[in-house]
């Protein structure tokens, strides 16, 4: 069964460093998302991406964050100058199209900022 | 602001019990409601309910959407220890992003 894959599964970084979280969405899916879940809290929307551009972003997704799809398969989330409060589980998700909107999630990357 | 509220926040039952999990929502331009099961990591898709599909069933799990009451329930019959997880309700509103509730943590004891 096709699945969304994310790497790494766990990343530890020092405050102020840049991190790149990687995702390979399901191959025939057109819409891609990043969500995050701070420990013990709800899953929160960060950004949606379609046709090589951001279609929507939340208030959380400030200038510190960026996304890109550099090679047609990978979908990356870059966090510049990480802060302690960026520590969370980051989930990538994809949907096929707007007629088939079941979102499928990757296993997540646990980011720990120390 | 779109909002999803789940209840109860946690539930402990014995194997064989039937449970009902609740989800209510306030969202502009409702499009669909989704249930996910979250064990150790990723939310795993269970059901999607829309105006044209307000009741879904898969094995021991079933879900109903009440558009009038802006709510949904997820039923699990004959629970097993493997059903222990956090059950997430999410709603898709005017955009295709999902708004999640806090989840219901279900613990099924042998």
């Amino acid at each position: 069964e096709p699945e969304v894959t994310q790497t790494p599964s766990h990343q530890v970084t020092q405050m102020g460093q840049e991190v790149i979280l990687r995702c390979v969405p399901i191959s025939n899916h057109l819409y891609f998302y990043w969500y995050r879940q701070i420990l013990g809290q709800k899953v929160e929307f960060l950004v949606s991406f379609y046709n090589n551009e951001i279609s929507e972003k939340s208030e959380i997704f400030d200038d510190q964050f960026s996304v890109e799809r550099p090679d047609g398969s990978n979908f990356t989330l870059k966090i510049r100058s990480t802060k302690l409060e960026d520590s969370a589980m980051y989930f990538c998700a994809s949907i096929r199209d707007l007629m088939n909107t079941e979102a499928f999630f990757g296993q997540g990357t646990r980011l720990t900022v120390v | 602001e779109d909002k999803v509220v789940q209840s109860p926040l946690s539930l402990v039952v014995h194997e064989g019990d039937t449970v009902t999990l609740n989800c209510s929502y306030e969202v502009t331009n409702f499009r669909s409601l989704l249930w996910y099961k979250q064990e150790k990591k990723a939310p795993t898709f269970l059901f999607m309910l829309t105006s044209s599909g307000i009741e879904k069933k898969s094995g021991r799990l079933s879900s109903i959407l009440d558009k009038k009451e802006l709510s949904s329930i997820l039923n699990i019959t004959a629970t097993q220890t493997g059903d222990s997880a956090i059950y997430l309700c999410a709603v898709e509103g005017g955009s295709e992003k999902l708004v999640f509730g806090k989840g219901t943590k279900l613990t099924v004891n042998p």
Side-chain angles (χ1 to χ4, degrees):
Chain A
E1 188 176 323
E3 59 180 20
V4 177
T5 56
Q6 289 185 242
T7 54
S9 57
H10 191 188
Q11 172 105 37
V12 181
T13 189
Q14 287 205 319
M15 195 167 56
Q17 295 295 304
E18 174 182 287
V19 294
I20 297 176
L21 310 183
R22 292 184 165 79
C23 169
V24 179
I26 295 172
S27 61
N28 63 348
H29 284 196
L30 300 177
Y31 292 79
F32 314 118
Y33 306 84
W34 284 101
Y35 290 83
R36 81 170 184 192
Q37 186 176 32
I38 294 171
L39 189 63
Q41 297 187 25
K42 63 171 74 174
V43 177
E44 302 172 288
F45 168 78
L46 291 178
V47 65
S48 58
F49 192 86
Y50 170 71
N51 201 26
N52 282 321
E53 59 184 31
I54 291 173
S55 48
E56 186 175 354
K57 57 185 180 180
S58 71
E59 291 174 355
I60 304 167
F61 195 90
D62 60 21
D63 292 343
Q64 180 197 6
F65 294 89
S66 62
V67 289
E68 64 175 1
R69 196 152 185 251
D71 58 12
S73 61
N74 289 289
F75 176 50
T76 62
L77 174 69
K78 182 189 290 186
I79 310 175
R80 286 181 278 276
S81 190
T82 48
K83 305 191 282 273
L84 294 176
E85 54 265 38
D86 294 327
S87 295
M89 182 73 94
Y90 288 81
F91 292 111
C92 174
S94 66
I95 66 171
R96 186 173 169 183
D97 52 49
L98 293 183
M99 299 298 291
N100 298 277
T101 56
E102 306 96 286
F104 292 89
F105 285 77
Q107 289 296 305
T109 293
R110 179 166 295 288
L111 176 65
T112 304
V113 182
V114 297
Chain B
E1 186 183 326
D2 297 345
K3 194 163 79 167
V4 176
V5 177
Q6 291 185 246
S7 64
L9 289 181
S10 69
L11 191 54
V12 181
V13 300
H14 290 290
E15 265 192 318
D17 289 349
T18 293
V19 297
T20 298
L21 312 183
N22 300 286
C23 175
S24 63
Y25 60 89
E26 291 175 27
V27 63
T28 51
N29 299 321
F30 172 86
R31 290 168 69 169
S32 63
L33 184 145
L34 296 91
W35 284 98
Y36 287 87
K37 178 182 182 183
Q38 185 176 29
E39 295 177 269
K40 291 204 167 56
K41 287 191 176 178
T44 305
F45 174 77
L46 293 175
F47 296 120
M48 181 175 178
L49 301 158
T50 66
S51 301
S52 57
I54 61 171
E55 188 166 353
K56 294 282 176 75
K57 184 173 167 61
S58 175
R60 297 178 294 103
L61 277 66
S62 63
S63 183
I64 297 173
L65 175 69
D66 187 337
K67 282 206 71 181
K68 191 175 171 189
E69 297 296 325
L70 304 184
S71 65
S72 174
I73 58 170
L74 176 68
N75 276 324
I76 309 174
T77 59
T79 50
Q80 302 170 357
T81 54
D83 295 327
S84 296
I86 296 173
Y87 289 84
L88 301 174
C89 174
V91 173
E92 182 190 5
S95 65
E96 72 275 11
K97 75 178 187 199
L98 295 176
V99 178
F100 281 85
K102 289 186 177 179
T104 293
K105 183 177 180 181
L106 174 65
T107 303
V108 182
N109 291 322

